[in-house]
Amino acid sequence: MQPPPDFDLHATIRSHGWSDLPPFELDADEPRLVIRLPEGVATVTPGGISARTRAMRQAAAGCLRFDLDLRAFWELCKDDPDLAWVPKAKAGRFLRAPSAFADAVMILATTNCTWALTKKMLRDLVERYGENGAFPSQERLARARRYGFGYRDAYLRAMAKGPSWEHYRSDPRPTDELRRELLKVPGFGPYAVDNFLRSVGRFDGFAVDSMVRSRWKKLYPRGRSMERRFARFGEWRGLAMWLLITREWYGAA
């Protein structure tokens, strides 16, 4: 499967840390991304997606957000001196898991802990309950007793035994309505909710955590409101903020 002309694998891999976590395996020297799916392995290179079946290729394309139209966002970036590099880099797509449930679990594993612990929890979870490196299904985890997530085990159990998460990827409701609903999920505060909404293409939230605060303070040591800085970006303001504070990841520092 060929990527769309506005897609860049380098930029998508570097969008955030998912490429370091299962079910992904990254060979940065190629670059080459392996996605372990329940049906087998999909391999992604700058030239496209290779997999045994069309369904697997479509699943991988969903992880890479081939379907996301960023043209309106890129037009806004062109008029911002700090973000004019974004359209040239074709940046803005967030790598996401093969399922919405997997994204939610991966986000839960990032809360209130180090990145090293996040990686360990998820690798152990996939090794224990996944098959051939694929992320375990919601149904499989609903039957499990322990997850190795510490105090988060109770939250993960509630998520696994609750309603399916998959509808959020196509839910037409306004973002504010989705946010209110997601904030009722045990263990999901504003940071987790905004991160999950990014995975379904809703970019108005800032998903502020300690890393974001630290990087923002370095950019604006005298203090500056994120809301005012990115007001003109409207529904894209959270994405604009994220690309500004992570621009060195793209070689744009």
Side-chain angles (χ1 to χ4, degrees):
M1 178 182 289
Q2 298 295 312
D6 63 351
F7 175 80
D8 184 87
L9 180 60
H10 174 96
T12 304
I13 287 173
R14 282 156 179 75
S15 57
H16 62 153
W18 264 209
S19 60
D20 288 336
L21 303 173
F24 301 107
E25 296 174 13
L26 174 64
D27 183 349
D29 292 333
E30 293 289 339
R32 183 174 68 98
L33 183 71
V34 170
I35 308 173
R36 296 195 176 275
L37 302 166
E39 304 84 3
V41 172
T43 302
V44 187
T45 65
I49 300 170
S50 174
R52 189 175 67 252
T53 68
R54 180 181 179 185
M56 292 169 63
R57 292 190 291 273
Q58 289 177 331
C63 294
L64 299 163
R65 294 311 316 268
F66 279 6
D67 61 322
L68 184 61
D69 186 350
L70 290 166
R71 287 174 295 180
F73 171 62
W74 287 344
E75 284 300 316
L76 292 168
C77 288
K78 290 177 182 178
D79 295 326
D80 189 307
D82 295 325
L83 293 168
W85 60 271
V86 171
K88 301 172 186 176
K90 300 179 181 177
R93 286 181 169 88
F94 268 64
L95 183 65
R96 69 181 184 182
S99 71
F101 174 71
D103 272 323
V105 176
M106 292 165 76
I107 290 165
L108 179 66
T110 70
T111 57
N112 299 321
C113 66
T114 65
W115 187 240
L117 180 56
T118 293
K119 292 194 288 186
K120 182 181 187 308
M121 289 192 296
L122 289 169
R123 286 171 181 168
D124 289 350
L125 185 75
V126 170
E127 182 177 343
R128 187 178 300 130
Y129 297 114
E131 294 183 13
N132 301 318
F135 204 91
S137 68
Q138 184 170 348
E139 294 75 17
R140 181 78 180 271
L141 291 185
R143 297 192 298 269
R145 292 186 177 183
R146 305 178 74 175
Y147 307 109
F149 271 39
Y151 77 89
R152 304 168 195 82
D153 265 17
Y155 300 146
L156 178 48
R157 184 172 297 106
M159 290 165 57
K161 290 181 177 293
S164 172
W165 287 72
E166 301 315 305
H167 69 91
Y168 285 113
R169 290 193 169 179
S170 57
D171 199 312
R173 289 179 292 168
T175 302
D176 285 345
E177 186 174 342
L178 298 183
R179 182 175 283 109
R180 288 193 297 271
E181 181 173 291
L182 287 163
L183 283 169
K184 298 176 183 177
V185 175
F188 256 51
Y191 157 80
V193 169
D194 283 350
N195 265 305
F196 180 77
L197 287 171
R198 286 177 180 173
S199 76
V200 298
R202 311 291 184 105
F203 295 107
D204 65 324
F206 291 117
V208 175
D209 63 0
S210 57
M211 186 274 278
V212 170
R213 290 190 190 94
S214 175
R215 287 172 174 259
W216 188 254
K217 188 174 182 179
K218 287 181 180 179
L219 281 173
Y220 300 106
R222 295 184 179 181
R224 187 170 185 181
S225 164
M226 288 184 188
E227 288 78 5
R228 291 183 180 179
R229 170 65 179 84
F230 299 108
R232 61 184 292 272
F233 284 86
E235 64 182 310
W236 302 100
R237 58 185 178 268
L239 182 56
M241 181 277 292
W242 181 255
L243 290 172
L244 177 59
I245 68 169
T246 62
R247 56 189 175 184
E248 74 273 15
W249 296 359
Y250 302 84

